[in-house]
Amino acid sequence: MHGGDADEFIDYMNDGEASVRHRSFVYRFSGLKYHAGRHQYRISIEKYRFTKEPFEDFMELVYHYESEDAEDVLNHLTEDILWDGKSFYELEKALTWIDW
């Protein structure tokens, strides 16, 4: 991962959202969120066009996962197919961690 370490990026999901650039798109990782009423943790990834204004041109939700176990959510984030038929660690060499 350009701009940071992939494992640090995943650890960062515990504290907040983060974004990566891949090709001409920005992928916004929601960070690990807890819904107290449902007793569920969740994480999602939204795809945006890379524009001058952050998160101006939403394209689609590319990933979403929920579980009662926070560790399970983060494990799925790294192991599930996210986009382009690849998992996080298969994609990470082409990703750039950005502060957008």
Side-chain angles (χ1 to χ4, degrees):
M1 173 174 277
H2 307 279
D5 179 75
D7 291 329
E8 287 178 30
F9 184 86
I10 296 299
D11 288 343
Y12 193 81
M13 293 298 104
N14 286 312
D15 298 322
E17 61 186 45
S19 300
V20 296
R21 184 171 180 192
H22 179 59
R23 299 184 182 151
S24 59
F25 303 105
V26 172
Y27 295 86
R28 183 182 191 179
F29 290 68
S30 68
L32 189 62
K33 306 284 185 192
Y34 182 70
H35 188 286
R38 296 177 58 206
H39 305 289
Q40 293 277 315
Y41 291 90
R42 67 176 171 85
I43 202 160
S44 61
I45 304 171
E46 299 171 339
K47 181 179 180 180
Y48 295 83
R49 288 194 206 297
F50 187 69
T51 59
K52 290 182 181 180
E53 292 296 320
F55 312 117
E56 177 181 66
D57 195 1
F58 173 78
M59 295 182 68
E60 64 183 312
L61 179 69
V62 296
Y63 181 78
H64 178 84
Y65 186 78
E66 297 184 349
S67 173
E68 293 178 359
D69 181 15
E71 187 175 335
D72 180 51
V73 173
L74 292 175
N75 286 339
H76 273 269
L77 177 66
T78 60
E79 296 169 6
D80 289 353
I81 301 301
L82 300 181
W83 65 85
D84 291 344
K86 297 181 180 178
S87 69
F88 177 79
Y89 284 111
E90 291 171 321
L91 285 166
E92 67 98 4
K93 292 175 184 68
L95 302 178
T96 302
W97 190 349
I98 60 172
D99 184 20
W100 199 37

